[in-house]
Amino acid sequence: MRLTRSKFLSDAELVRFMAAVRDRRHVHQPRDHALFALLANTGMRPSEALALTRADLHLGARPPWVQITRLKKRVPACDDISIPGALASVLKTYLDGVETERVFPISRRQAERLFHFYAKAACIRGRYLYALRHTAATKIYRVTRNIKIVQTILGHEKADTSALYAHIPKSVMEQLTGQMTVHV
């Protein structure tokens, strides 16, 4: 039997990971904190987060929201997603010290390396930057128990894809299948 690695961070791993990011004393710590908090709480693709500009952030609105350009679609589309106030505060704090138009002026490779650096500091092995998208999807599903909401937030065309990201336990999937009305 082949063992597969988990594609998302458990609650305890996410707490350790974010603590490692917050506790680092470095000139780029506010950027790293803002980036990883955004990814872990919104389910945004890393490429979408790295493409954000200041004009995409609406942190003073009630509720705060972010406009995401969905890059994986055949024709790029924009989606607006609400973000928690605490996340908006982290982003505001970071942006106070930044003068660039791009919110995160780093490459995907740099973001991957930073993720691995913090994951190692938090004693997390075998995960990749994209695990934060899976983590957010799993958290959203746990709270809402609605795969359609996960699908909308992640920008997927099919709910089946979102179910893979949300890591819905097999027992729940069987229960949902048992409750469905079958039309033959």
Side-chain angles (χ1 to χ4, degrees), residues 39 44-52 68-72 108 129-130:
L39 293 173
M44 204 179 289
R45 290 177 183 91
S47 58
E48 294 166 347
L50 295 172
L52 289 174
I68 303 170
T69 302
R70 300 290 185 184
L71 302 171
K72 289 280 270 196
R108 168 70 186 254
L129 180 59
Y130 218 76

Side-chain angles (χ1 to χ4, degrees), residues 17-178:
F17 179 81
M18 292 309 296
V21 175
R22 279 191 314 274
D23 294 346
R24 183 174 184 217
R25 298 293 165 239
H26 190 269
V27 69
H28 295 300
Q29 184 276 341
R31 177 203 62 204
D32 300 348
H33 185 209
L35 174 62
F36 294 127
L38 183 68
L39 293 173
N41 288 288
T42 63
M44 204 179 289
R45 290 177 183 91
S47 58
E48 294 166 347
L50 295 172
L52 289 174
T53 64
R54 287 176 176 269
D56 297 325
L57 302 178
H58 304 273
L59 305 176
R62 294 285 168 232
W65 58 282
V66 176
Q67 184 176 41
I68 303 170
T69 302
R70 300 290 185 184
L71 302 171
K72 289 280 270 196
K73 303 249 180 192
R74 285 178 218 154
V75 176
C78 291
D79 287 334
D80 300 339
I81 61 167
S82 295
I83 60 172
L87 177 56
S89 295
V90 168
L91 288 165
K92 281 181 190 176
T93 301
Y94 159 61
L95 289 172
D96 284 345
V98 175
E99 296 183 19
T100 62
E101 182 58 25
R102 277 184 49 212
V103 176
F104 302 108
I106 62 173
S107 69
R108 168 70 186 254
R109 182 70 185 130
Q110 286 172 302
E112 283 282 354
R113 286 181 178 159
L114 286 168
F115 176 83
H116 288 294
F117 172 83
Y118 290 117
K120 185 177 179 182
C123 298
I124 299 168
R125 304 258 186 264
R127 302 301 197 309
Y128 300 93
L129 180 59
Y130 218 76
L132 294 177
R133 183 166 163 84
H134 286 259
T135 302
T138 303
K139 285 174 37 180
I140 294 164
Y141 180 77
R142 281 186 197 155
V143 169
T144 65
R145 292 287 189 221
N146 187 331
I147 199 63
K148 288 290 188 185
I149 293 173
V150 177
Q151 178 185 1
T152 301
I153 292 172
L154 296 183
H156 287 146
E157 291 182 13
K158 297 180 182 178
D160 293 352
T161 306
S162 300
L164 294 172
Y165 275 71
H167 301 276
I168 300 172
K170 188 176 181 181
S171 59
V172 173
M173 287 299 285
E174 289 170 354
Q175 184 181 21
L176 292 173
T177 305

